[in-house]
Amino acid sequence: MPEGRVAEMWRWPVKSMGGEEVRSFRLDERGVGGDRTHAVIHHHKGEWKPLTAREAPRLLAWHASYPFAPDAGLRPDDPPHAQVTGPDGRSWRWGDPRLRNALAEDLGRDVRLRRDLAGIQDLERSVLVTTEATRAALADELGTSIDLRRFRTNVHLELDAEPWAEHGWEGGTLRLSGGVVLRLLHACVRCAIPTRDPVTTAKWPELLRHLDARHETLFGINARVVQSGRIAVGETATTEPPASRR
């Protein structure tokens, strides 16, 4: 059973925008409190759908945070409206019509703002878990550093496990010393979003080609909350295989 610690934690208030690194957060059956509870939506094929960095890479140049509910001070059942900061440094509270106008002008398209406390994720009610061994191995393979923000992880672990081992943990359990329990679902198949630099938005297609050629386009593992609670950086993390393998 690999063991280790929580090394980094990230929360992404607005889908496809930059997010915030935190020291702790609370989770419930929806996932990480306040994670992707907001989205910019656009009219596509007859309906309004979430706009992502696949269609609008410029979204990555915008950042969202919860300055008035830092870390685990945010309640998953009652998150505040996110604060959004544009590439020019101006900030607005979510719902401000000036934010919608600024986004429409910067992105060059008509947009609306959506908020949903259930979460606006591609995989509903999910938490993304990654490991430092795998990030380091990928950096070695590519011969360059890898910014973890490319992969939009929630919980980043340092474990005594081999690189890429997490891709075989489907059906297992991740237990945190503070009491939170996650059920590990399946390895995360990556799209083109990680190929965009989280700061400059410059494209790096070699990253996805490499993951496809060497690792079946996988990085990280999706999970769902079994036992709600609070997680903090430094907590002990223990993985357990599915019951059938014990």
Side-chain angles (χ1 to χ4, degrees), residues 150-181:
R150 287 181 179 273
F151 296 101
R152 307 181 75 79
T153 189
N154 294 123
V155 180
H156 189 61
L157 304 174
E158 290 181 348
L159 299 173
D160 57 357
E162 293 296 317
W164 313 103
E166 64 273 21
H167 296 167
W169 294 346
E170 182 172 345
T173 301
L174 174 63
R175 297 185 184 275
L176 287 304
S177 56
V180 169
V181 180

Side-chain angles (χ1 to χ4, degrees), residues 70-81:
D71 298 330
L74 185 148
R75 290 172 46 195
D77 61 340
D78 188 27
H81 286 73

Side-chain angles (χ1 to χ4, degrees), residues 189-207:
V189 179
R190 309 314 306 211
C191 64
I193 289 178
T195 67
R196 294 286 179 176
D197 187 283
V199 176
T200 68
T201 75
K203 195 169 185 180
W204 182 27
E206 174 59 25
L207 174 60

Side-chain angles (χ1 to χ4, degrees), residues 36 65 77 199 219:
R36 296 174 178 87
S65 63
D77 61 340
V199 176
F219 188 94

